[in-house]
Amino acid sequence: SGSSDKPSSTTVASDQPTAAAASSDIRIPLADLSGKAKFFDYKLADNRPMRFFVLKSSDGVYRAALDACDTCYHAKKGYHQEGDDMICNNCGLHFHSAKINEVHGGCNPIGLPRMIEGNELVIKAGELESRGGYF
């Protein structure tokens, strides 16, 4: 049984760096986030670029969303910010920052699950990869 354990532990060890390199989670210091949306570029596993933004909304919640929506993502125009609103660059609709991650569908920004770990906002690479079809 000792010999059957050995190959599996070797395989696990050799797979780990690949997995870690392929799925590097995004970590953003909370101190860098404010009411002004910060846009980030991310390269998908197939090398397609995608964009997302992160902000601290007026109600004090850290929020994250794709720079795309269900309705207008084909246009690849994303959003810009005016005051406390994110505005779809394609259709001009306004979305209050506190609605990000709360309201879904239509021209609402596609929310990204996020967590706070210590003093960083963490977005899992897998969450970005699974939404790559919008880019």
Side-chain angles (χ1 to χ4, degrees):
S1 90
S3 62
S4 66
D5 289 347
K6 203 168 186 184
S8 65
S9 64
T10 309
T11 309
V12 170
S14 66
D15 284 345
Q16 279 171 336
T18 318
S23 62
S24 50
D25 297 338
I26 309 295
R27 295 182 170 274
I28 304 158
L30 296 178
D32 289 356
L33 300 175
S34 67
K36 182 160 176 38
K38 283 182 81 111
F39 288 83
F40 295 87
D41 293 297
Y42 179 82
K43 203 170 276 285
L44 293 160
D46 62 7
N47 277 332
R48 277 181 304 134
M50 78 182 303
R51 278 170 60 86
F52 64 96
F53 63 86
V54 180
L55 54 76
K56 183 178 181 181
S57 56
S58 54
D59 57 2
V61 177
Y62 294 97
R63 302 180 183 276
L66 298 185
D67 193 22
C69 64
D70 284 329
T71 304
C72 298
Y73 75 91
H74 296 285
K76 299 195 186 310
K77 292 184 178 175
Y79 294 86
H80 70 279
Q81 187 175 18
E82 283 180 21
D84 218 9
D85 288 354
M86 296 304 291
I87 299 158
C88 177
N89 291 327
N90 193 52
C91 68
L93 288 176
H94 287 235
F95 303 94
H96 192 276
S97 67
K99 300 277 190 251
I100 295 167
N101 299 113
E102 308 290 330
V103 183
H104 306 283
C107 286
N108 282 283
I110 297 163
L112 272 172
R114 70 274 181 231
M115 304 170 301
I116 292 176
E117 287 181 8
N119 58 357
E120 294 177 317
L121 188 76
V122 180
I123 298 170
K124 297 278 185 206
E127 299 290 359
L128 293 165
E129 293 290 343
S130 69
R131 291 162 174 78
Y134 289 104
F135 291 90

